[in-house]
Amino acid sequence: MDDRYFMELALKEAKKAYKLGEVPIGAIIVRENKVIAKAFNRREVDKSALSHAEVLAIKEACKELGGWRLIGCTLYVTLEPCLMCAGAIINSRIERVVYAADDTKAGAIRSLYRVLEDPRLNHQVEVVEGILKEESSSLLKQFFAQLRADKKDF
């Protein structure tokens, strides 16, 4: 199995968020070619700023593995992680992050910062970007266009 296959699974999670009216971001965590966690944005549903797809997936993976160190794991996420999620990635010791679309307004991996590769931190993470970028970007654009259209109807 390859990065594209797992990103397609993350994109399926993002579509679940879309159906709930959440910003369509999905994440999965893989270890030894097996999905051990999956999640999507739930900030509106949970009424929590912490309910980002990455954080929810990390929480599920820790529970699945019985500890907080996610050594040997890869996180697949449809949008470049923010600062909060980058911190969670570092603290959970995820070894690799693969993301689809850049986030020019909040991205902490490549767009605004390079947190996961900062040598001053106690853990660095391998990063792969752009897998299914067009599909993820298209879903996000569609979501926000619909949101704007719905606001015009009021």
Side-chain angles (χ1 to χ4, degrees):
M1 293 186 225
D2 63 6
D3 288 341
R4 185 176 177 86
Y5 170 80
F6 289 118
M7 189 60 77
E8 287 171 355
L9 297 179
L11 202 51
K12 285 182 182 179
E13 292 300 307
K15 290 174 183 175
K16 291 176 186 177
Y18 190 108
K19 288 179 183 176
L20 289 177
E22 297 278 354
V23 176
I25 300 169
I28 65 164
I29 296 178
V30 174
R31 185 173 189 205
E32 298 174 356
N33 275 330
K34 179 185 172 207
V35 175
I36 61 167
K38 56 187 178 177
F40 53 85
N41 264 16
R42 296 180 49 91
R43 291 189 304 173
E44 300 299 332
V45 171
D46 293 351
K47 300 189 181 346
S48 173
L50 303 177
S51 290
H52 287 209
E54 302 94 321
V55 171
L56 296 172
I58 289 169
K59 185 176 180 180
E60 184 179 323
C62 290
K63 186 176 180 179
E64 175 70 21
L65 295 179
W68 61 270
R69 291 177 187 89
L70 300 180
I71 295 166
C73 293
T74 298
L75 168 70
Y76 292 86
V77 62
T78 57
L79 185 66
E80 179 181 3
C82 69
L83 274 169
M84 176 182 71
C85 294
I89 291 164
I90 289 167
N91 283 300
S92 65
R93 306 301 192 266
I94 287 174
E95 291 185 7
R96 187 168 176 260
V97 169
V98 179
Y99 74 88
D102 296 323
D103 185 349
T104 57
K105 295 182 180 182
I109 309 307
R110 291 281 197 274
S111 296
L112 299 177
Y113 308 100
R114 295 180 84 88
V115 173
L116 298 186
E117 299 165 312
D118 191 326
R120 298 171 294 175
L121 298 174
N122 65 338
H123 179 68
Q124 287 78 46
V125 180
E126 178 187 343
V127 176
V128 176
E129 59 187 295
I131 305 294
L132 296 183
K133 179 178 183 171
E134 291 76 21
E135 293 86 340
S136 182
S137 294
S138 176
L139 185 64
L140 286 158
K141 287 176 186 172
Q142 181 182 350
F143 174 80
F144 287 112
Q146 183 64 50
L147 199 62
R148 286 188 294 276
D150 290 348
K151 286 186 178 181
K152 284 184 182 177
D153 291 340
F154 284 98

